[in-house]
Amino acid sequence: ASQRFTNFVLYSYWRSTCSWRVRTALAAKGLLETTEIRPLNLLQGGHKSDEHAAMNPMKQVPVFECMDTLTGETIRLTQSMAIMDFLEEAFPMGGALLPRDPVARAQAKEYAEMVNSGTQPLQNPSVFKKIEGLGKEEGVGRQFAKEAIENGLIALEAKYTTRGGAGPFMCGQAPSVADICLVPQLYNGRRFGVNLSAVCPGLLAVETACAENAFFKASHPDGQPDADVAEPPQKKAKAS
């Protein structure tokens, strides 16, 4: 299957947590270096263009594209979890994104969804800007986002530590989709002012292990072609 798909393209934004997940998964599969990154500036509305909406009607990133040499068709996938699932199935070589043990496999997916479904959507700019637009006092949207991140990480920490929290990664000795979803969410937690050392010390230990892993080093936002590491803090807080 790994020889069937070629010409990898990722429509991405450097600090988008969902784009970051896919970059890490591509790195794990040894595909990131051969993937063309096509940046979309979310702060300038690049994801809202008609051209991008034709690829992803939800007007979001990431969008992953490849050529299926079996059919000659261009395959386009959206939603980071679906893209990572495709990469795991189509490219069995490289780092596995899911443990083989059925219990650990389910737990990895559970951890990932606690971030993907239960936390990250609540801190998206589209959500907290909508709250601000309802005529509430200034800053209430960002506070809502911060509390959503705190609550999600508290729950994830509790689930992880209840199961032993042995590390070094969420599901043992190798990173999985759980870690791939965790690291960007912790990054966003810092941007929103969450006291991570008080909220999730166990998860921070996992993050430390991930920071030494080559997959995570290669996918970090600051190393992306569209990275703006000098961007003012007040602007940085607007992207996710």
Side-chain angles (χ1 to χ4, degrees), residues 69-204:
T69 61
L70 191 64
T71 65
E73 295 181 25
T74 296
I75 306 299
R76 289 194 182 95
L77 297 171
T78 67
Q79 303 301 319
S80 63
M81 300 302 291
I83 297 169
M84 290 192 291
D85 186 63
F86 168 76
L87 293 174
E88 180 74 342
E89 295 295 329
F91 301 93
M93 78 295 190
L97 304 182
L98 290 167
R100 297 191 63 165
D101 177 78
V103 175
R105 193 178 187 92
Q107 290 173 347
K109 292 180 179 181
E110 176 188 30
Y111 293 144
E113 286 296 350
M114 289 177 74
V115 173
N116 180 63
S117 300
T119 306
Q120 189 269 341
L122 298 175
Q123 47 99 91
N124 259 357
S126 60
V127 173
F128 69 75
K129 286 180 180 179
K130 183 70 172 180
I131 293 173
E132 298 280 0
L134 294 175
K136 305 292 185 182
E137 59 190 84
E138 185 177 356
V140 70
R142 280 187 52 76
Q143 182 61 31
F144 172 86
K146 177 184 177 182
E147 291 175 1
I149 296 172
E150 286 180 342
N151 292 338
L153 291 176
I154 288 171
L156 187 58
E157 172 85 2
K159 181 69 76 171
Y160 173 66
T161 55
T162 298
R163 288 175 174 156
F169 300 101
M170 291 291 289
C171 294
Q173 296 301 310
S176 69
V177 292
D179 309 277
I180 288 174
C181 289
L182 171 67
V183 169
Q185 191 59 66
L186 292 174
Y187 179 94
N188 258 10
R190 291 187 179 92
R191 290 178 48 237
F192 280 87
V194 176
N195 184 351
L196 296 179
S197 60
V199 167
C200 53
L203 300 182
L204 289 180

